[in-house]
Amino acid sequence: MDSSRLAERMRHIGASPTMKGTTAAEKLRREGVDVVDLGAGEPDFPTPPHVCAAAHAAIDAGQTKYTSNVGILELRQAVAARYLLDYGVTYAPDEVVICAGGKQALFHAALGLFGPGDEVITHIPGWPTIVEQIKLAGATPVVVTTHAETGFVPRAHGLLAATTARTRGLVINSPGNPTGALLSEADARILAKEAAANGWWIVMDLCYERLTYNNVPHNLPGIVAEVMRDRLVLAGSTSKAYAMTGWRLGWAVGPKPFAQAANALQSHSTSNASSITQHAALAALTGPQQCVTDMLNEYQQRRDQVLEWLKEEPRLRAVVPQGAFYVFPDISDFLSPDGFRTSLDFCDALLAEECVVTTPGEAFDAPGFMRLSYATSLERLREGVTRLIRFARKHAPK
Ligand SMILES: Cc1ncc(COP(=O)(O)O)c(C=O)c1O
């Protein structure tokens, strides 16, 4: 079909590029090829059994109908209780909206808070959906680049330097995808003070909040809420912490007018998150948390191993991620005008020659890098890194 028949907004929006590798891998696997998939943006662990059992019980108990748009009260209470426990912030159940994933929570934030004429600041390398959602809301994304030399850490002074009279808000992702970088508590304090003084919103994408390493203090909600609770929106999710990506459950937490806006948006789009999933999420949030700790420990072991293995080829330079489950090495030493010109070319050829799925930096607005997901077994990781190093050396510019 002629794409000029589509709505004007579709000229500016592309499908999420992070799923492309997964689709290519699936095709190769169906052909019987031994693919190493380091592209996945999701845990390789199964959803914990007690969570699955709660979903079965919900079906058996007939919890298969619409729920209120904002989600069942028990789950909203459980989200509020978790934030009180984890961060010391107090939210009422009517300040919590249960959504179909953190992605929808962030979409509500974009549509509910930003519009034409507004500039919204975020940081790159970053998860592409944040920028696309700001555009879908009709607002203008302003991206601030973070750098490998400083661990890709978004800094308050860099973000604030990008503000103008049109600034309406900031969207911060911490821990960050694809870098694993954390916003520091000190920088959160500075941002909150400035945002409060200027009437900006702060939207925090905390979808990887339970996956931080070495107990680095990361109480961003506590710090920001203390200064500007009435303009803070927190987006969270069961996807990554509880290995529940397919269940589609997240939440938006924010002041009542925002929660009402999100309720209205949801009531005219998807209504409610799946009733069965909501009961599963309730079990995830209120049940034993050892499963989260166990997965986190495993991710940390894998992270340390991958970083160690990558050192076998010093031209693959990787920052130590502080959270999430990705490493984001700089591969620019392997790019050249006569060889692979871009990281996209590099990753495509790596898939074609060595059957290793990765995600090129271009997907995160960061050409010259590649994302390796370590949400896969140590054995497959070892195989994937071995193939990557073999490939990189073979094609290194002379
Ligand atoms: C940075 C970031 N935020 C939010 C999400 C949303 O996840 P979900 O919609 O599964 O909760 C993702 C998923 O990949 C992500 O990487």
Side-chain angles (χ1 to χ4, degrees):
M1 192 191 80
D2 176 4
S3 62
S4 67
R5 292 195 191 177
L6 301 175
E8 163 67 18
R9 77 174 65 81
M10 296 317 297
R11 285 176 191 267
H12 313 290
I13 309 292
S16 174
T18 52
M19 291 305 286
K20 280 183 189 154
T22 310
T23 315
E26 250 169 47
K27 186 168 170 284
L28 282 172
R29 238 182 253 117
R30 270 199 306 274
E31 291 162 10
V33 177
D34 172 26
V35 179
V36 182
D37 189 354
L38 307 183
E42 62 179 346
D44 56 317
F45 299 107
T47 303
H50 69 280
V51 175
C52 298
H56 284 287
I59 296 174
D60 293 342
Q63 309 281 5
T64 53
K65 305 290 170 64
Y66 290 133
T67 71
S68 91
N69 292 142
V70 290
I72 57 174
L73 178 63
E74 302 90 307
L75 182 55
R76 287 182 286 124
Q77 284 169 333
V79 171
R82 180 131 293 284
Y83 277 48
L84 180 61
L85 187 71
D86 289 351
Y87 302 117
V89 291
T90 306
Y91 282 96
D94 61 2
E95 294 176 305
V96 178
V97 178
I98 303 300
C99 314
K103 196 176 253 186
Q104 190 179 29
L106 290 162
F107 200 31
H108 290 338
L111 290 188
L113 308 179
F114 310 132
D118 296 338
E119 290 179 356
V120 183
I121 294 166
T122 189
H123 47 100
I124 56 165
W127 185 52
T129 294
I130 291 174
V131 163
E132 297 301 308
Q133 289 185 341
I134 295 168
K135 288 198 256 168
L136 279 169
T140 304
V142 177
V143 292
V144 173
T145 304
T146 63
H147 301 280
E149 297 72 32
T150 43
F152 295 111
V153 172
R155 297 300 311 271
H157 60 82
L159 296 162
L160 293 173
T163 60
T164 71
R166 287 189 175 279
T167 301
R168 175 85 173 160
L170 299 99
V171 183
I172 310 283
N173 172 217
S174 181
N177 173 8
T179 62
L182 304 182
L183 178 74
S184 75
E185 292 190 342
D187 280 52
R189 204 165 276 120
I190 298 170
L191 283 179
K193 199 164 151 255
E194 285 300 314
N198 289 283
W200 302 324
W201 285 93
I202 293 185
V203 177
M204 294 212 152
D205 175 357
L206 298 172
C207 287
Y208 294 90
E209 64 193 312
R210 306 292 298 278
L211 305 181
T212 62
Y213 304 112
N214 304 330
N215 297 316
V216 177
H218 192 243
N219 188 352
L220 307 185
I223 284 166
V224 180
E226 198 182 322
V227 183
M228 47 166 295
R229 186 190 188 285
D230 60 336
R231 280 181 180 262
L232 171 65
V233 173
L234 308 171
S237 171
T238 55
S239 286
K240 317 289 176 172
Y242 298 97
M244 289 179 69
T245 46
W247 297 76
R248 309 307 305 129
L249 194 121
W251 49 80
V253 177
K256 219 163 156 184
F258 166 75
Q260 285 165 347
N263 176 25
L265 287 165
Q266 194 154 295
S267 74
H268 297 301
S269 50
T270 53
S271 295
N272 55 268
S274 151
S275 57
I276 300 154
T277 291
Q278 290 187 55
H279 287 277
L282 182 60
L285 290 178
T286 58
Q289 301 299 300
Q290 189 58 38
C291 52
V292 181
T293 312
D294 291 347
M295 288 189 268
L296 178 64
N297 290 340
E298 179 75 27
Y299 289 134
Q300 177 149 9
Q301 198 197 341
R302 295 171 182 179
R303 176 196 72 159
D304 295 344
Q305 269 298 342
V306 168
L307 290 169
E308 213 40 50
W309 290 330
L310 285 173
K311 283 187 195 152
E312 291 166 18
E313 176 42 71
R315 288 169 293 181
L316 290 167
R317 297 182 302 274
V319 162
V320 180
Q322 302 301 318
F325 39 64
Y326 312 106
V327 277
F328 198 57
D330 182 341
I331 56 169
S332 54
D333 279 357
F334 298 95
L335 309 181
S336 70
D338 313 321
F340 301 123
R341 299 173 71 92
T342 65
S343 35
L344 184 62
D345 293 345
F346 183 96
C347 292
D348 280 351
L350 176 64
L351 177 62
E353 264 184 49
E354 291 281 3
C355 302
V356 180
V357 183
T358 57
T359 314
E362 282 84 348
F364 310 99
D365 228 343
F369 292 83
M370 76 194 305
R371 188 186 77 174
L372 310 177
S373 162
Y374 49 90
T376 190
S377 71
L378 273 177
E379 183 226 333
R380 295 310 283 165
L381 276 170
R382 175 68 265 195
E383 177 63 21
V385 175
T386 300
R387 292 189 200 182
L388 165 62
I389 290 176
R390 181 166 65 211
F391 173 84
R393 286 185 179 152
K394 181 173 156 199
H395 295 285
K398 300 289 175 280

